[in-house]
Amino acid sequence: MRIGILLGSTRTGRQSHKVAQHLERELQKRGIATDLIDLAESPLPILDERASRHPQLQARVHGLSARLREADGLVFVTPEYHGSFSGVLKNALDYFWEEFGKKPIGVAAVSAGKLGGINASTQLQHVILSLGAFPVPTKLLVPEVHNAFDESLEAKGEHIVKSTERFLDEYLWFARAIVGAKRAASEEAA
């Protein structure tokens, strides 16, 4: 199984990359292939047409489409900005449709405050349903993200360690169930 981690922050001084890299490392420890898709490294212009309908797309949009398609499941990582998820993540999601179809998608949200991005995560789960994908009910919320990790991106507190473990346990169970059902359906159709 291959899990894509879509990092939805490009802001200078961002902190959510710590969570994305932490999740990547923890998934790899569990033997899961990962692909960290950082929108700061692959920025997209403001959407004027979906990827499947655009006559002249940039190579990076095609590349991102291919990476999203290759993933069996995804985890979206977002900061909470003004009570919602990031605009750069929404812009990226709007480019694509088929790439998300019937995929298990987990949500990790961060905030500088004590609520850990709860509003952003809830709104993002609604968008995931609109993408034709399956949001995992369990979310990873990281409050006070600027204090949550040390310089080597190890979680500082037991709360983050246990929350990450619980999130990944639930996410991987959910992802394996969906990926297995999709593979069985493909085999029956063949």
Side-chain angles (χ1 to χ4, degrees):
M1 192 163 54
R2 182 177 188 80
I3 303 300
I5 301 168
L6 184 57
L7 175 52
S9 176
T10 59
R11 184 180 63 84
T12 302
R14 66 186 180 168
Q15 298 289 305
S16 53
H17 69 288
K18 296 175 181 178
V19 174
Q21 292 170 349
H22 180 68
L23 285 170
E24 179 181 42
R25 187 175 346 166
E26 293 303 311
L27 283 164
Q28 289 171 351
K29 284 181 187 175
R30 292 173 181 228
I32 304 295
T34 61
D35 181 13
L36 178 55
I37 303 166
D38 187 344
L39 293 174
E41 294 173 5
S42 301
L44 298 171
I46 297 297
L47 174 76
D48 65 353
E49 184 58 86
R50 256 194 278 164
S52 63
R53 298 181 184 169
H54 202 290
Q56 298 173 313
L57 276 181
Q58 299 168 351
R60 78 182 113 176
V61 176
H62 285 297
L64 183 52
S65 174
R67 291 170 76 184
L68 293 170
R69 284 180 192 277
E70 289 171 7
D72 294 303
L74 296 156
V75 175
F76 296 162
V77 179
T78 185
E80 183 168 292
Y81 295 151
H82 304 292
S84 188
F85 57 96
S86 71
V88 71
L89 180 57
K90 179 65 165 95
N91 183 59
L93 298 179
D94 287 344
Y95 265 95
F96 307 103
W97 178 257
E98 294 89 7
E99 292 84 349
F100 301 118
K102 295 184 179 178
K103 287 189 179 178
I105 301 180
V107 173
V110 309
S111 73
K114 297 203 181 285
L115 298 180
I118 186 73
N119 293 322
S121 66
T122 301
Q123 290 176 19
L124 193 49
Q125 285 184 319
H126 289 266
V127 173
I128 291 167
L129 287 169
S130 296
L131 293 171
F134 304 116
V136 177
T138 301
K139 304 176 245 188
L140 177 60
L141 303 176
V142 181
E144 299 176 334
V145 66
H146 51 285
N147 294 322
F149 298 92
D150 65 18
E151 297 80 32
S152 62
L153 300 179
E154 292 294 327
K156 283 185 178 179
E158 191 64 23
H159 170 73
I160 298 300
V161 171
K162 289 187 181 217
S163 293
T164 301
E165 189 174 298
R166 186 176 70 247
F167 171 75
L168 290 177
D169 288 346
E170 291 294 318
Y171 175 78
L172 291 172
W173 181 91
F174 193 80
R176 286 180 178 120
I178 291 171
V179 169
K182 287 170 63 175
R183 287 184 180 148
S186 291
E187 290 170 5
E188 285 179 17

CSV table of all heavy atoms in Angstrom, one decimal, residues 7-14 16 38-44 79 81 86-89:
chain,number,residue,atom,x,y,z
A,7,LEU,N,0.7,18.0,1.9
A,7,LEU,CA,1.0,19.1,2.9
A,7,LEU,C,0.4,20.4,2.3
A,7,LEU,O,0.9,20.9,1.3
A,7,LEU,CB,2.5,19.2,3.1
A,7,LEU,CG,3.0,20.3,4.0
A,7,LEU,CD1,2.3,20.4,5.3
A,7,LEU,CD2,4.5,20.2,4.2
A,8,GLY,N,-0.6,20.9,3.0
A,8,GLY,CA,-1.3,22.1,2.5
A,8,GLY,C,-0.9,23.4,3.1
A,8,GLY,O,-1.8,24.2,3.6
A,9,SER,N,0.4,23.7,3.2
A,9,SER,CA,0.8,25.0,3.7
A,9,SER,C,2.1,25.4,2.9
A,9,SER,O,3.0,24.6,2.7
A,9,SER,CB,1.1,24.9,5.2
A,9,SER,OG,1.6,26.2,5.6
A,10,THR,N,2.1,26.6,2.5
A,10,THR,CA,3.2,27.2,1.8
A,10,THR,C,3.8,28.4,2.5
A,10,THR,O,4.8,29.0,2.0
A,10,THR,CB,2.9,27.6,0.3
A,10,THR,OG1,1.8,28.5,0.4
A,10,THR,CG2,2.4,26.4,-0.4
A,11,ARG,N,3.2,28.8,3.6
A,11,ARG,CA,3.5,30.0,4.3
A,11,ARG,C,5.0,29.9,4.9
A,11,ARG,O,5.4,28.9,5.4
A,11,ARG,CB,2.6,30.2,5.5
A,11,ARG,CG,2.7,31.5,6.3
A,11,ARG,CD,1.7,31.5,7.4
A,11,ARG,NE,1.9,30.5,8.4
A,11,ARG,CZ,2.7,30.5,9.4
A,11,ARG,NH1,3.5,31.5,9.6
A,11,ARG,NH2,2.8,29.5,10.2
A,12,THR,N,5.7,31.1,4.8
A,12,THR,CA,7.0,31.2,5.4
A,12,THR,C,6.8,31.1,6.9
A,12,THR,O,5.9,31.6,7.5
A,12,THR,CB,7.6,32.6,5.1
A,12,THR,OG1,7.6,32.8,3.7
A,12,THR,CG2,8.9,32.8,5.7
A,13,GLY,N,7.6,30.3,7.5
A,13,GLY,CA,7.5,30.0,8.9
A,13,GLY,C,6.5,29.0,9.3
A,13,GLY,O,6.2,28.8,10.5
A,14,ARG,N,6.0,28.3,8.4
A,14,ARG,CA,5.0,27.2,8.6
A,14,ARG,C,5.5,26.2,9.6
A,14,ARG,O,6.7,26.0,9.8
A,14,ARG,CB,4.5,26.6,7.3
A,14,ARG,CG,5.7,25.7,6.7
A,14,ARG,CD,5.3,25.2,5.4
A,14,ARG,NE,6.4,24.4,4.9
A,14,ARG,CZ,6.3,23.6,3.8
A,14,ARG,NH1,5.2,23.5,3.2
A,14,ARG,NH2,7.4,22.9,3.4
A,16,SER,N,3.3,23.2,10.0
A,16,SER,CA,2.6,21.9,9.7
A,16,SER,C,3.5,20.9,9.0
A,16,SER,O,3.2,19.7,9.0
A,16,SER,CB,1.3,22.2,8.9
A,16,SER,OG,1.7,23.0,7.7
A,38,ASP,N,4.5,18.1,-1.1
A,38,ASP,CA,4.6,19.4,-0.4
A,38,ASP,C,4.2,20.5,-1.4
A,38,ASP,O,5.0,20.7,-2.4
A,38,ASP,CB,6.1,19.6,0.1
A,38,ASP,CG,6.2,20.9,0.9
A,38,ASP,OD1,5.3,21.8,0.9
A,38,ASP,OD2,7.3,21.0,1.6
A,39,LEU,N,3.1,21.2,-1.2
A,39,LEU,CA,2.7,22.2,-2.1
A,39,LEU,C,3.6,23.4,-2.1
A,39,LEU,O,3.5,24.2,-3.1
A,39,LEU,CB,1.2,22.6,-1.8
A,39,LEU,CG,0.2,21.5,-2.0
A,39,LEU,CD1,-1.2,22.0,-1.5
A,39,LEU,CD2,0.1,21.1,-3.5
A,40,ALA,N,4.5,23.6,-1.2
A,40,ALA,CA,5.5,24.6,-1.3
A,40,ALA,C,6.6,24.3,-2.3
A,40,ALA,O,7.1,25.2,-2.9
A,40,ALA,CB,6.1,24.8,0.1
A,41,GLU,N,6.8,23.0,-2.5
A,41,GLU,CA,7.8,22.6,-3.5
A,41,GLU,C,7.1,22.4,-4.9
A,41,GLU,O,7.8,22.5,-5.9
A,41,GLU,CB,8.4,21.2,-3.1
A,41,GLU,CG,9.2,21.4,-1.8
A,41,GLU,CD,9.7,20.0,-1.3
A,41,GLU,OE1,9.5,19.0,-2.0
A,41,GLU,OE2,10.4,20.0,-0.2
A,42,SER,N,5.8,22.2,-4.9
A,42,SER,CA,5.1,22.1,-6.2
A,42,SER,C,3.9,23.0,-6.2
A,42,SER,O,2.8,22.6,-6.2
A,42,SER,CB,4.6,20.6,-6.3
A,42,SER,OG,5.7,19.7,-6.3
A,43,PRO,N,4.2,24.3,-6.2
A,43,PRO,CA,3.0,25.3,-6.1
A,43,PRO,C,2.2,25.2,-7.4
A,43,PRO,O,2.7,25.0,-8.5
A,43,PRO,CB,3.7,26.6,-6.0
A,43,PRO,CG,5.1,26.4,-6.5
A,43,PRO,CD,5.4,25.0,-6.3
A,44,LEU,N,0.9,25.4,-7.2
A,44,LEU,CA,-0.1,25.5,-8.3
A,44,LEU,C,-0.6,26.9,-8.4
A,44,LEU,O,-0.9,27.5,-7.4
A,44,LEU,CB,-1.2,24.5,-8.0
A,44,LEU,CG,-0.9,23.0,-7.8
A,44,LEU,CD1,-2.1,22.2,-7.3
A,44,LEU,CD2,-0.4,22.5,-9.2
A,79,PRO,N,-2.8,23.5,8.3
A,79,PRO,CA,-2.9,24.4,9.4
A,79,PRO,C,-4.3,25.0,9.4
A,79,PRO,O,-5.1,24.8,8.5
A,79,PRO,CB,-1.9,25.6,9.1
A,79,PRO,CG,-1.9,25.6,7.6
A,79,PRO,CD,-2.1,24.2,7.1
A,81,TYR,N,-6.4,28.2,9.5
A,81,TYR,CA,-6.3,29.7,9.3
A,81,TYR,C,-7.7,30.3,9.4
A,81,TYR,O,-8.6,29.8,8.6
A,81,TYR,CB,-5.8,30.0,7.9
A,81,TYR,CG,-4.4,29.6,7.6
A,81,TYR,CD1,-4.0,29.3,6.3
A,81,TYR,CD2,-3.4,29.6,8.6
A,81,TYR,CE1,-2.7,29.0,6.0
A,81,TYR,CE2,-2.1,29.2,8.3
A,81,TYR,CZ,-1.7,28.9,7.0
A,81,TYR,OH,-0.4,28.6,6.8
A,86,SER,N,-6.4,25.6,4.9
A,86,SER,CA,-5.7,26.5,4.1
A,86,SER,C,-6.2,26.7,2.7
A,86,SER,O,-6.7,25.7,2.1
A,86,SER,CB,-4.2,26.1,4.0
A,86,SER,OG,-4.0,25.0,3.2
A,87,GLY,N,-6.1,27.9,2.2
A,87,GLY,CA,-6.6,28.2,0.8
A,87,GLY,C,-5.8,27.5,-0.2
A,87,GLY,O,-6.3,27.0,-1.3
A,88,VAL,N,-4.5,27.3,0.0
A,88,VAL,CA,-3.6,26.6,-0.9
A,88,VAL,C,-4.0,25.1,-1.0
A,88,VAL,O,-3.9,24.6,-2.1
A,88,VAL,CB,-2.1,26.8,-0.6
A,88,VAL,CG1,-1.7,26.0,0.7
A,88,VAL,CG2,-1.2,26.4,-1.7
A,89,LEU,N,-4.4,24.5,0.0
A,89,LEU,CA,-4.9,23.2,0.0
A,89,LEU,C,-6.2,23.1,-0.8
A,89,LEU,O,-6.4,22.2,-1.7
A,89,LEU,CB,-5.1,22.6,1.4
A,89,LEU,CG,-5.6,21.1,1.4
A,89,LEU,CD1,-4.7,20.2,0.7
A,89,LEU,CD2,-5.7,20.7,2.9
